[in-house]
């Protein structure tokens, strides 16, 4: 990244001419990117990195200069044509960004729209797919291990992350909910270390009452679950099944390969830039 390498090239002159028509030649336009995760944190969970790379590719294809901001920069953000915010920002942070630049698209927030666009993965459907898959396999004792970054979420329920709420609702609907199998920590990150710690705590609680399957909140959490279970001599999938969500590229290299639900991360980034491009050219009603 420091050397600005990219595998993406403009395919031909015709396409290049079409892109140039979309951005007036008289003015080189620019988009400011601000990411919720630092580059070091992105390496822990590459979901957001993949989104950012897809967004950068689309911005370059549309003829924009990409300017990365590690934090809010008032002068810089006022001088770009639009801002793409990637991650679960707080409502206060989103409002601050919107005041600096009226052309704003946020990727990964569930706050009500207010003069800005938003792109989300449908984690509600992804969780339904994951749980339905486990239920169809005959599992009834399905545990959930997750975390809620509560300050960055909107809603009036005790739990607000779509993955958490769908598990809670579906297991109650099928009369399979067990409080001991619902392991969720508030105001915590969805990373490997948190998952390993929560899994250790769960194993103490589950002595003599192990679930047959675990749904992890995302693939990073699933990796932590697998690592901890393996350390305790629990075989996967012979003793217990593990399910993730996101389909990170590293999931296929686990042994055994992680069963997960695919999220189209690079496309999410592309859609975000596309929506921001539309707003820059012709502002209109906000879209999710």
């Amino acid at each position: 990244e420091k050397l600005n390498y990219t595998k993406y090239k403009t395919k031909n002159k015709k396409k290049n001419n079409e892109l140039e028509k979309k951005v007036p030649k008289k003015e080189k336009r620019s988009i400011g990117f601000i990411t919720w995760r630092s580059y070091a944190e992105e390496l822990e969970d590459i979901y957001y990195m993949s989104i950012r790379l897809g967004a950068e590719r689309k911005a370059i294809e549309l003829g924009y200069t990409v300017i990365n901001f590690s934090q809010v920069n008032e002068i810089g953000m006022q001088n770009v044509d639009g801002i793409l915010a990637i991650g679960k920002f707080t409502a206060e942070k989103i409002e601050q960004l919107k005041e600096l630049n009226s052309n704003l698209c946020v990727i990964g927030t569930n706050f009500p729209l207010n003069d800005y666009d938003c792109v989300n993965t449908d984690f509600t459907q992804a969780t339904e797919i994951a749980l339905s898959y486990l239920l169809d396999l005959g599992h009834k004792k399905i545990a959930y291990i997750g975390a809620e970054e509560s300050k960055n979420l909107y809603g009036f329920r005790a739990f607000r992350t779509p993955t958490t709420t769908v598990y809670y609702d579906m297991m109650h609907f099928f009369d399979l909910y067990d409080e001991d199998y619902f392991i969720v920590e508030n105001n915590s990150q969805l990373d490997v270390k948190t998952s390993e710690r929560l899994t250790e705590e769960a194993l103490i609680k589950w002595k003599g009452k192990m679930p047959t399957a675990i749904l992890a909140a995302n693939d990073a959490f699933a990796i932590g679950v697998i690592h901890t279970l393996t350390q305790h001599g629990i075989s996967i999938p012979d003793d217990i099944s593990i399910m993730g969500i996101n389909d990170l590229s590293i999931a296929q290299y686990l042994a055994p390969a992680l069963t997960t639900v695919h999220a189209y991360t690079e496309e999410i980034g592309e859609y975000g830039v596309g929506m921001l491009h539309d707003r820059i050219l012709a502002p209109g009603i906000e879209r999710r």
Side-chain angles (χ1 to χ4, degrees):
E1 279 193 335
K2 287 178 181 177
L3 295 173
N4 201 30
Y5 275 84
T6 177
K7 67 179 181 180
Y8 305 112
K9 306 290 183 184
T10 302
K11 291 182 179 179
N12 53 51
K13 289 183 178 180
K14 181 179 178 182
K15 182 177 180 181
N16 198 30
N17 291 336
E18 290 173 355
L19 294 174
E20 287 178 358
K21 289 177 184 176
K22 295 180 182 179
V23 181
K25 287 184 177 180
K26 64 179 180 179
E27 180 185 357
K28 183 67 174 178
R29 294 181 182 267
S30 60
I31 292 177
F33 282 20
I34 182 167
T35 54
W36 177 55
R37 299 284 201 205
S38 68
Y39 285 174
E41 289 173 327
E42 281 185 343
L43 293 173
E44 287 284 322
D45 179 0
I46 60 175
Y47 175 82
Y48 290 105
M49 177 193 289
S50 183
I51 292 174
R52 178 170 59 81
L53 294 177
E56 288 179 354
R57 175 182 67 187
K58 185 65 175 179
I60 292 168
E61 285 183 354
L62 289 172
Y64 288 95
T65 297
V66 175
I67 300 173
N68 287 294
F69 297 105
S70 58
Q71 56 188 2
V72 174
N73 180 320
E74 291 191 11
I75 296 175
M77 289 182 168
Q78 288 173 340
N79 289 331
V80 294
D81 291 281
I83 297 174
L84 186 74
I86 303 174
K88 298 177 185 176
F89 293 94
T90 62
E92 292 77 15
K93 181 71 74 176
I94 294 171
E95 189 64 29
Q96 183 184 14
L97 293 173
K98 195 184 72 174
E99 288 178 2
L100 291 174
N101 198 306
S102 58
N103 296 323
L104 172 66
C105 181
V106 184
I107 296 179
T109 178
N110 69 335
F111 290 101
L113 300 182
N114 184 17
D115 295 328
Y116 66 90
D117 299 316
C118 177
V119 185
N120 289 321
T121 300
D122 190 347
F123 284 114
T124 296
Q125 184 180 9
T127 310
E128 289 178 10
I129 292 169
L131 275 176
S132 297
Y133 177 78
L134 292 173
L135 291 168
D136 288 344
L137 289 177
H139 291 287
K140 296 186 183 298
K141 296 180 179 180
I142 304 172
Y144 175 76
I145 298 181
E148 296 239 319
E149 290 129 336
S150 306
K151 294 178 182 178
N152 307 320
L153 297 169
Y154 173 80
F156 302 97
R157 301 182 63 172
F159 302 100
R160 303 168 190 173
T161 303
T163 308
T164 305
T165 57
V166 171
Y167 170 87
Y168 189 88
D169 292 345
M170 281 186 70
M171 295 303 283
H172 272 94
F173 180 83
F174 291 109
D175 200 25
L176 297 173
Y177 181 80
D178 187 324
E179 188 70 33
D180 289 339
Y181 293 152
F182 186 61
I183 312 296
V184 179
E185 184 171 77
N186 278 320
N187 293 323
S188 188
Q189 285 197 359
L190 285 161
D191 56 24
V192 175
K193 289 182 180 178
T194 304
S195 173
E196 290 174 341
R197 176 171 53 79
L198 291 179
T199 306
E200 289 283 1
E201 295 173 5
L203 288 174
I204 295 172
K205 181 183 288 188
W206 294 341
K207 280 200 171 178
K209 190 188 174 183
M210 283 290 290
T212 61
I214 297 174
L215 173 64
N218 64 7
D219 284 2
F221 247 51
I223 290 169
V225 170
I226 291 171
H227 183 218
T228 305
L229 294 179
T230 302
Q231 283 187 327
H232 284 267
I234 299 170
S235 177
I236 303 162
D238 297 330
D239 297 330
I240 193 167
S241 296
I242 309 297
M243 186 92 190
I245 295 175
N246 279 4
D247 193 19
L248 297 181
S249 57
I250 55 175
Q252 62 184 305
Y253 300 113
L254 296 174
L258 176 65
T259 303
T260 183
V261 181
H262 184 65
Y264 295 89
T265 48
E266 289 198 22
E267 288 83 354
I268 294 167
E270 292 175 6
Y271 271 104
V273 170
M275 291 170 72
L276 185 57
H277 175 65
D278 291 344
R279 179 166 286 277
I280 289 170
L281 296 181
I285 188 169
E286 58 267 27
R287 295 176 295 165
R288 191 188 296 279

